């Protein structure tokens, strides 16, 4: 089965090989839960610096909080209070483009996620502490 076998005729004509590969990958992929219990790290893509390590029971919601809320230990609040880094939030900001995320899915209790989060934080020393 080739790439063209997974994309219908008219649509396939306007796509390059990479586009067809992505569509094939999407169609063959098994769905996964959007509520993932994880330990995650947020990196500055420009410098490669680890900015923050956290744990959550729902990754998508937590990342959204980091980029939209200016309170507590949300990344947006942390970078806005930091005069040594030029990352800005909001619609016109660059926080979405400037950052990348790594995560590992962790089954089990919150205590287990916290243990892994603390170990990663101690090992990699992010710019902002999760405490």
């Amino acid at each position: 089965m080739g790439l063209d076998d997974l994309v219908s005729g008219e649509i396939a004509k306007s796509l390059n090989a990479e586009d067809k590969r992505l569509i094939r990958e999407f169609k063959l992929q098994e769905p996964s839960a959007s509520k993932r219990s994880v330990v995650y790290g947020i990196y500055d893509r420009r410098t490669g610096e680890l900015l923050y390590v956290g744990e959550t029971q729902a990754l998508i919601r937590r990342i959204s909080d980091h980029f939209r809320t200016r309170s507590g230990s949300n990344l947006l609040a942390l970078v806005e209070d930091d005069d040594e880094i030029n990352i800005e939030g909001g619609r016109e900001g660059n926080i979405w483009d400037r950052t990348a995320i790594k995560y590992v899915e962790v089954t089990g209790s919150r205590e287990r996620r916290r243990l892994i989060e603390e170990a990663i934080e101690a090992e990699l020393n992010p710019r902002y502490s999760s405490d």
Side-chain angles (χ1 to χ4, degrees):
M1 179 183 327
L3 292 176
D4 290 330
D5 297 332
L6 287 168
V7 181
S8 60
E10 283 302 308
I11 295 170
K13 291 177 184 176
S14 64
L15 301 172
N16 64 35
E18 174 63 8
D19 295 339
K20 290 177 187 175
R21 185 194 67 74
L22 291 171
I23 292 167
R24 179 177 190 269
E25 181 180 322
F26 179 86
K27 289 172 82 174
L28 295 175
Q29 186 180 69
E30 290 296 320
S32 62
S34 60
K35 182 181 176 189
R36 290 192 160 172
S37 180
V38 302
V39 173
Y40 63 93
I42 302 175
Y43 285 81
D44 181 339
R45 289 175 41 175
R46 188 174 296 159
T47 65
E49 178 182 19
L50 176 59
L51 299 173
Y52 184 86
V53 173
E55 62 83 19
T56 185
Q57 190 174 349
L59 179 61
I60 292 173
R61 179 184 46 84
R62 184 65 181 116
I63 295 303
S64 180
D65 288 347
H66 273 296
F67 293 169
R68 297 184 191 281
T69 308
R70 291 171 169 85
S71 64
S73 65
N74 288 325
L75 187 62
L76 187 53
L78 296 169
V79 297
E80 285 183 347
D81 290 341
D82 188 341
D83 293 334
E84 295 178 11
I85 195 166
N86 187 20
I87 297 177
E88 298 175 7
R91 287 181 174 249
E92 305 304 316
N94 63 353
I95 194 166
W96 294 95
D97 296 326
R98 263 300 276 281
T99 57
I101 297 163
K102 285 185 181 183
Y103 67 90
V104 290
E105 196 162 348
V106 179
T107 57
S109 67
R110 180 166 196 255
E111 289 77 26
R112 184 167 180 237
R113 287 194 314 270
R114 288 286 302 157
L115 179 68
I116 294 169
E117 173 194 18
E118 290 168 2
I120 291 172
E121 192 167 344
E123 186 76 19
L124 299 179
N125 193 28
R127 184 179 192 98
Y128 310 111
S129 171
S130 64
D131 293 332

